[in-house]
Amino acid sequence: ATDVMDAFHSNKARNMYQRLPKSKPETAAVLDATVAPYSQTEINFRKLRDQLEADGWWERDFVHEAKLLAIWTSLVVGAGLTAQSAPPLSTLLLGLAMTNAGWLGHDYIHGVDKFSNFMRPFAAVAAGLGPTWWSDKHNKHHALTNEMGVDEDIATDPFLYPWAPDPKYDSPLRKIQHLIFYIPFSFLFALWRVDTLQVAVDSVETKRPDAKNELWFLLAHYFA
């Protein structure tokens, strides 16, 4: 299996697919001959990852997790308490809370341990972002990082150009995008949530795993 497949699966899953039927030696030789050999960079990365895991960097620090959730909770509570008395402050705190929720949800959805599986709905409840939509979109970003035409996280033209496009698709706004980038970025809040709901409904209709529960979590976000 590839490094990407290993990264996206838990230890339990990795042990399970080790028990799958293995290719015959002659078939494996043909497959190996069709791809480039492992580079020294790949080999060094694998050694580094194994060393970090052996040193305990993959072990969950529940005290640290509690601190992160406490920060998010304090922002939400602060936003609620100041909603009437200090609306600008409340808006700032709510914005920080949503940003915090997005990044915490990002980490939980990426996670492959039991705690992450339990906290997977957090992004839906706290930020209105569906785990299924996020996984479909963002895992592709990590599997095929910054590959033009594949990685949706860099498919931001014609509003933002991460590279110089074909002249016939260029825009005069590209020359000043470093000055106005915050304007298209601000629309992501609404765009991501619309996309999330579309994927959630489609997931229910196509009977994807846990799709109904995810939709209920999203509705709970908007109800709250």
Side-chain angles (χ1 to χ4, degrees):
T2 65
D3 295 311
V4 171
M5 185 171 178
D6 281 347
F8 287 169
H9 290 81
S10 64
N11 286 333
K12 179 180 178 181
R14 280 185 273 170
N15 289 330
M16 289 174 66
Y17 66 64
Q18 291 296 329
R19 299 195 295 268
L20 293 173
K22 294 179 173 57
S23 300
K24 295 179 180 179
E26 54 271 23
T27 303
V30 172
L31 294 173
D32 286 340
T34 62
V35 296
Y38 294 123
S39 67
Q40 190 60 46
T41 300
E42 290 176 295
I43 295 171
N44 291 342
F45 172 79
R46 291 177 180 180
K47 290 180 179 179
L48 174 62
R49 188 193 184 284
D50 290 343
Q51 183 61 53
L52 291 173
E53 189 168 7
D55 290 345
W57 290 98
W58 265 240
E59 296 176 10
R60 182 72 61 178
D61 183 348
F62 289 101
V63 174
H64 182 65
E65 296 295 340
K67 291 178 182 178
L68 295 177
L69 289 170
I71 292 172
W72 172 78
T73 301
S74 65
L75 290 170
V76 173
V77 172
L81 293 176
T82 57
Q84 298 296 327
S85 58
L89 176 60
S90 178
T91 301
L92 174 63
L93 293 175
L94 184 60
L96 292 173
M98 295 298 289
T99 302
N100 202 312
W103 282 112
L104 286 174
H106 166 277
D107 292 349
Y108 295 145
I109 296 170
H110 268 311
V112 293
D113 61 345
K114 291 182 179 179
F115 178 77
S116 293
N117 287 337
F118 177 77
M119 294 298 292
R120 187 177 174 85
F122 178 84
V125 175
L129 299 172
T132 299
W133 163 80
W134 187 265
S135 294
D136 290 350
K137 175 180 182 295
H138 197 62
N139 282 349
K140 186 185 295 184
H141 160 73
H142 283 285
L144 300 164
T145 307
N146 294 343
E147 290 199 19
M148 295 168 54
V150 180
D151 185 354
E152 293 184 19
D153 279 13
I154 61 171
T156 53
D157 54 303
F159 304 105
L160 291 173
Y161 292 86
W163 62 83
D166 186 304
K168 64 182 179 181
Y169 298 121
D170 206 348
S171 167
L173 293 178
R174 186 168 66 86
K175 294 181 179 180
I176 59 170
Q177 65 179 8
H178 60 291
L179 300 175
I180 62 170
F181 69 91
Y182 60 89
I183 297 175
F185 272 2
S186 65
F187 287 100
L188 290 177
F189 184 91
L191 177 63
W192 284 356
R193 282 151 185 81
V194 171
D195 288 347
T196 279
L197 290 173
Q198 289 177 337
V199 171
V201 172
D202 181 71
S203 297
V204 172
E205 293 176 346
T206 56
K207 298 182 179 179
R208 295 183 66 172
D210 210 34
K212 289 185 178 180
N213 287 336
E214 183 175 315
L215 183 58
W216 281 117
F217 285 128
L218 287 169
L219 294 176
H221 166 80
Y222 289 103
F223 179 77

